[in-house]
């Protein structure tokens, strides 16, 4: 389970977190993510970026997002 970033003690399953993030970054609501849509949505979602930086070594992906 993923502990909430906001400092709470609530735990979120990986599936719940993924669904919540997907809903926020699927900006056109079509149920699919293009690379551009992923980059735009991820850039705007601080919680997603923070979890990704803490959970995985995604520095190369974060660099790509910031450089787009």
């Amino acid at each position: 389970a993923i502990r909430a970033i906001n400092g709470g003690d609530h735990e979120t399953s990986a599936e719940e977190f993924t669904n919540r993030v997907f809903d926020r970054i699927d900006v056109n609501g079509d149920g699919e993510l293009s690379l551009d849509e992923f980059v735009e949505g991820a850039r705007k979602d601080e919680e997603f970026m923070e979890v990704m930086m803490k959970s995985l070594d995604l520095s190369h992906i974060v660099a790509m997002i910031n450089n787009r």
Side-chain angles (χ1 to χ4, degrees):
I2 299 171
R3 189 154 307 270
I5 296 300
N6 63 8
D9 288 332
H10 175 73
E11 288 194 7
T12 303
S13 74
E15 183 177 0
E16 289 171 329
F17 176 78
T18 302
N19 289 339
R20 191 173 74 232
V21 169
F22 186 88
D23 288 344
R24 288 195 305 237
I25 64 176
D26 180 19
V27 293
N28 68 5
D30 68 354
E32 297 181 5
L33 290 178
S34 67
L35 178 58
D36 289 337
E37 191 174 28
F38 174 80
V39 169
E40 178 184 345
R43 182 181 289 148
K44 293 178 181 177
D45 193 313
E46 291 181 24
E47 179 186 18
F48 174 73
M49 294 295 284
E50 188 172 344
V51 168
M52 292 299 100
M53 293 301 293
K54 286 183 176 182
S55 302
L56 306 166
D57 180 12
L58 297 176
S59 54
H60 61 289
I61 293 174
V62 171
M64 181 200 67
I65 289 170
N66 288 327
N67 291 327
R68 270 201 113 149

